[in-house]
Every structure is written in structure tokens, then in C-alpha cells.
Amino acid sequence: MTSFLRTGIILAFGVPNSGVRIVASVTVSLWTLARGECGAIDHFDECLPEAYRVRLLELGFHPGESVRCVQAPALGAPRVYQVANVTFSLDDDIAGCIHVLQVPHD
């Protein structure tokens, strides 16, 4: 199986009728994940101040780390995310600057 990573898109190709699944994922902001959706942290947006970037890295928001949206309340309230068995609440100003590779639903 061959895999390519280009500008936030992952594609996995296989031989037809071989039983290999084709997987695709795109980069989205962490804020766009709905409750129960998962992703892998890809990068921080340039709009995120350096102090926030450093603190997020200290808290475990490393590129490649899995993240799951635990709660997504209505009316723009902060959302709850789980990273490495720790739960965090982030508002849209911060979560919107974290880009993740969204894991497709089965």
C-alpha cells in the first residue's frame, strides 16, 4: 500500500479487490470537530501567539497526537477535548488555530 501526505490530505491506495480500504483525511480546525469525532494534531496556525503555542505543547498538544471532541455545547461555549487521557476546555479563538487531520467515520 502506498501513502502520500500533501498539504493536509492523506490518501491510502490499494490494489482493487484486494480488501485494502481507501482512506482519506483532510486538515480542519480543531473547533470544527463535532462531539465524538477524532483527529490527529497536524499544526498550529500562524495566528496563534507564541505563548499559547508553547503552553499547548507543554500540555501535550503535539503534532501527531490523537485528540477527541468530548463535548460541543451550543451557542459558541468552550468545547471539551481529550488529549493523551487528559481533558481540556478550549474556546474557539484557541481551538480554531489548531489544525487536525480528521479521522474519517466508518
Side-chain angles (χ1 to χ4, degrees), residues 30 41-44 48 52-68 80-84 86-90 94-95 98 100:
L30 182 58
I41 297 172
D42 185 55
H43 68 279
F44 299 117
L48 187 66
Y52 285 100
R53 185 184 320 254
V54 169
R55 186 64 180 140
L56 287 167
L57 288 168
E58 291 172 348
L59 294 172
F61 285 80
H62 300 279
E65 189 70 44
S66 295
V67 61
R68 182 173 65 93
V80 179
Y81 301 98
Q82 183 177 15
V83 177
V86 182
T87 304
F88 299 95
S89 177
L90 299 175
I94 303 301
I98 302 170
V100 298

Side-chain angles (χ1 to χ4, degrees), residues 1-6 9-13 23:
M1 183 164 64
T2 306
S3 180
F4 299 94
L5 174 62
R6 292 192 187 264
I9 299 175
I10 295 178
L11 300 172
F13 300 96
V23 178

Side-chain angles (χ1 to χ4, degrees), residues 31 72-79 92:
W31 187 256
L75 304 174
R79 294 185 178 179
D92 62 338

